[in-house]
Short mmCIF file of all heavy atoms in Angstrom, two decimals:
data_model
loop_
_atom_site.label_atom_id
_atom_site.label_comp_id
_atom_site.label_asym_id
_atom_site.label_seq_id
_atom_site.Cartn_x
_atom_site.Cartn_y
_atom_site.Cartn_z
N GLY G 1128 51.66 12.36 -5.10
CA GLY G 1128 50.24 12.04 -5.03
C GLY G 1128 49.47 13.12 -4.31
O GLY G 1128 48.40 13.55 -4.74
N PRO G 1141 59.53 7.72 -12.62
CA PRO G 1141 59.48 6.59 -11.72
C PRO G 1141 60.81 5.86 -11.65
O PRO G 1141 61.60 5.92 -12.58
CB PRO G 1141 58.39 5.71 -12.33
CG PRO G 1141 58.45 6.04 -13.79
CD PRO G 1141 58.82 7.49 -13.88
N GLY G 1146 64.60 -4.94 -5.88
CA GLY G 1146 64.68 -6.31 -5.43
C GLY G 1146 64.87 -6.46 -3.94
O GLY G 1146 64.99 -7.57 -3.44
N SER G 1155 59.45 10.43 -5.78
CA SER G 1155 59.52 10.72 -7.21
C SER G 1155 58.82 9.67 -8.06
O SER G 1155 58.72 9.83 -9.27
CB SER G 1155 60.97 10.83 -7.67
OG SER G 1155 61.65 9.62 -7.44
N VAL G 1162 46.83 15.97 -16.18
CA VAL G 1162 45.68 15.12 -16.51
C VAL G 1162 45.02 14.59 -15.24
O VAL G 1162 43.80 14.66 -15.08
CB VAL G 1162 46.13 13.95 -17.42
CG1 VAL G 1162 45.07 12.87 -17.50
CG2 VAL G 1162 46.47 14.45 -18.81
N LEU G 1163 45.84 14.09 -14.31
CA LEU G 1163 45.28 13.56 -13.08
C LEU G 1163 44.72 14.68 -12.20
O LEU G 1163 43.70 14.50 -11.52
CB LEU G 1163 46.32 12.75 -12.32
CG LEU G 1163 45.77 11.98 -11.11
CD1 LEU G 1163 44.71 10.98 -11.55
CD2 LEU G 1163 46.88 11.29 -10.36
N ALA G 1165 43.21 17.31 -13.24
CA ALA G 1165 41.87 17.58 -13.78
C ALA G 1165 40.89 16.51 -13.33
O ALA G 1165 39.75 16.82 -12.95
CB ALA G 1165 41.93 17.66 -15.30
N HIS G 1187 33.69 3.53 -8.60
CA HIS G 1187 34.23 4.05 -9.85
C HIS G 1187 34.31 2.95 -10.89
O HIS G 1187 34.83 1.87 -10.61
CB HIS G 1187 35.63 4.61 -9.58
CG HIS G 1187 35.84 5.98 -10.15
ND1 HIS G 1187 36.52 6.96 -9.48
CD2 HIS G 1187 35.49 6.53 -11.34
CE1 HIS G 1187 36.57 8.06 -10.21
NE2 HIS G 1187 35.96 7.82 -11.35
N GLY G 1189 35.08 4.04 -14.43
CA GLY G 1189 35.99 4.50 -15.45
C GLY G 1189 36.13 6.01 -15.43
O GLY G 1189 35.38 6.72 -14.77
N LEU G 1204 27.56 17.73 -15.97
CA LEU G 1204 26.41 17.16 -16.64
C LEU G 1204 26.26 15.73 -16.16
O LEU G 1204 27.17 14.91 -16.35
CB LEU G 1204 26.60 17.20 -18.16
CG LEU G 1204 25.55 16.47 -19.01
CD1 LEU G 1204 24.19 17.14 -18.86
CD2 LEU G 1204 25.99 16.44 -20.47
N GLY G 1211 20.91 -4.07 -14.89
CA GLY G 1211 21.38 -5.24 -14.17
C GLY G 1211 21.46 -5.07 -12.67
O GLY G 1211 22.37 -5.61 -12.04
N ALA G 1218 29.14 11.35 -15.52
CA ALA G 1218 29.28 12.77 -15.22
C ALA G 1218 30.36 13.38 -16.08
O ALA G 1218 31.46 12.81 -16.21
CB ALA G 1218 29.61 12.97 -13.75
N VAL G 1256 55.07 -10.51 -7.85
CA VAL G 1256 55.62 -9.30 -8.43
C VAL G 1256 56.77 -9.69 -9.36
O VAL G 1256 57.72 -10.36 -8.93
CB VAL G 1256 56.15 -8.35 -7.34
CG1 VAL G 1256 56.73 -7.09 -7.97
CG2 VAL G 1256 55.04 -8.01 -6.36
N ARG G 1280 35.66 10.97 0.99
CA ARG G 1280 35.50 10.15 2.19
C ARG G 1280 34.35 9.15 2.04
O ARG G 1280 33.68 8.79 3.02
CB ARG G 1280 35.29 11.06 3.41
CG ARG G 1280 36.50 11.95 3.68
CD ARG G 1280 36.29 12.83 4.90
NE ARG G 1280 36.05 12.05 6.12
CZ ARG G 1280 37.00 11.45 6.82
NH1 ARG G 1280 38.26 11.52 6.42
NH2 ARG G 1280 36.70 10.77 7.90
N ARG G 1291 32.00 -4.23 0.61
CA ARG G 1291 31.28 -5.46 0.31
C ARG G 1291 29.77 -5.19 0.28
O ARG G 1291 29.06 -5.70 -0.59
CB ARG G 1291 31.62 -6.52 1.34
CG ARG G 1291 30.85 -7.82 1.11
CD ARG G 1291 31.44 -8.95 1.90
NE ARG G 1291 30.61 -10.14 1.81
CZ ARG G 1291 31.01 -11.36 2.11
NH1 ARG G 1291 32.25 -11.55 2.51
NH2 ARG G 1291 30.20 -12.39 2.01
N HIS G 1305 40.91 4.22 -3.50
CA HIS G 1305 40.25 5.14 -4.42
C HIS G 1305 40.74 4.90 -5.85
O HIS G 1305 41.93 4.65 -6.09
CB HIS G 1305 40.58 6.59 -4.06
CG HIS G 1305 40.16 7.01 -2.69
ND1 HIS G 1305 40.77 6.53 -1.55
CD2 HIS G 1305 39.21 7.87 -2.28
CE1 HIS G 1305 40.21 7.08 -0.48
NE2 HIS G 1305 39.26 7.90 -0.90
N LEU G 1309 44.70 4.91 -7.30
CA LEU G 1309 45.27 3.90 -8.19
C LEU G 1309 45.74 4.53 -9.50
O LEU G 1309 46.78 4.15 -10.05
CB LEU G 1309 44.25 2.80 -8.48
CG LEU G 1309 43.79 1.95 -7.29
CD1 LEU G 1309 42.74 0.95 -7.73
CD2 LEU G 1309 44.97 1.25 -6.63
N ARG G 1327 40.05 2.42 -17.08
CA ARG G 1327 38.98 1.46 -16.83
C ARG G 1327 39.33 0.71 -15.56
O ARG G 1327 40.35 0.04 -15.49
CB ARG G 1327 38.82 0.50 -18.01
CG ARG G 1327 37.76 -0.57 -17.80
CD ARG G 1327 36.39 0.01 -17.55
NE ARG G 1327 35.92 0.88 -18.62
CZ ARG G 1327 34.81 1.60 -18.55
NH1 ARG G 1327 34.08 1.60 -17.45
NH2 ARG G 1327 34.45 2.36 -19.56
N LEU G 1329 39.00 -2.22 -13.34
CA LEU G 1329 38.61 -3.60 -13.62
C LEU G 1329 38.15 -4.35 -12.39
O LEU G 1329 37.25 -5.20 -12.47
CB LEU G 1329 39.79 -4.34 -14.26
CG LEU G 1329 40.36 -3.69 -15.53
CD1 LEU G 1329 41.61 -4.43 -15.97
CD2 LEU G 1329 39.31 -3.65 -16.63
N LEU G 1342 51.67 -3.09 -5.81
CA LEU G 1342 51.08 -2.75 -7.09
C LEU G 1342 52.20 -2.55 -8.09
O LEU G 1342 53.19 -1.87 -7.80
CB LEU G 1342 50.27 -1.45 -6.99
CG LEU G 1342 49.03 -1.48 -6.10
CD1 LEU G 1342 48.56 -0.06 -5.80
CD2 LEU G 1342 47.91 -2.27 -6.77
N GLN G 1355 46.25 -9.71 -6.26
CA GLN G 1355 44.81 -9.93 -6.34
C GLN G 1355 44.34 -10.04 -7.80
O GLN G 1355 43.25 -10.53 -8.05
CB GLN G 1355 44.05 -8.79 -5.66
CG GLN G 1355 44.37 -8.62 -4.18
CD GLN G 1355 43.76 -7.36 -3.60
OE1 GLN G 1355 42.80 -6.80 -4.14
NE2 GLN G 1355 44.32 -6.89 -2.49
N ARG G 1360 43.13 -0.53 -16.13
CA ARG G 1360 43.76 -0.45 -17.45
C ARG G 1360 43.86 1.02 -17.84
O ARG G 1360 42.87 1.76 -17.76
CB ARG G 1360 42.96 -1.21 -18.51
CG ARG G 1360 43.67 -1.22 -19.89
CD ARG G 1360 42.81 -1.90 -20.95
NE ARG G 1360 42.56 -3.29 -20.64
CZ ARG G 1360 43.38 -4.29 -20.89
NH1 ARG G 1360 44.56 -4.05 -21.43
NH2 ARG G 1360 43.07 -5.53 -20.59
N LEU G 1361 45.03 1.44 -18.25
CA LEU G 1361 45.28 2.83 -18.60
C LEU G 1361 45.66 2.92 -20.07
O LEU G 1361 46.64 2.31 -20.50
CB LEU G 1361 46.40 3.40 -17.71
CG LEU G 1361 46.73 4.88 -17.82
CD1 LEU G 1361 47.38 5.36 -16.53
CD2 LEU G 1361 47.66 5.17 -19.00
N ALA G 1366 51.59 10.50 -25.28
CA ALA G 1366 52.90 10.21 -24.69
C ALA G 1366 52.88 8.80 -24.14
O ALA G 1366 51.84 8.28 -23.80
CB ALA G 1366 53.24 11.19 -23.59
#
Side-chain angles (χ1 to χ4, degrees):
S1155 61
V1162 166
L1163 189 61
H1187 228 139
L1204 172 65
V1256 180
R1280 297 181 59 79
R1291 178 165 173 163
H1305 300 70
L1309 296 178
R1327 177 59 58 187
L1329 304 174
L1342 295 165
Q1355 300 171 22
R1360 184 184 298 278
L1361 186 156

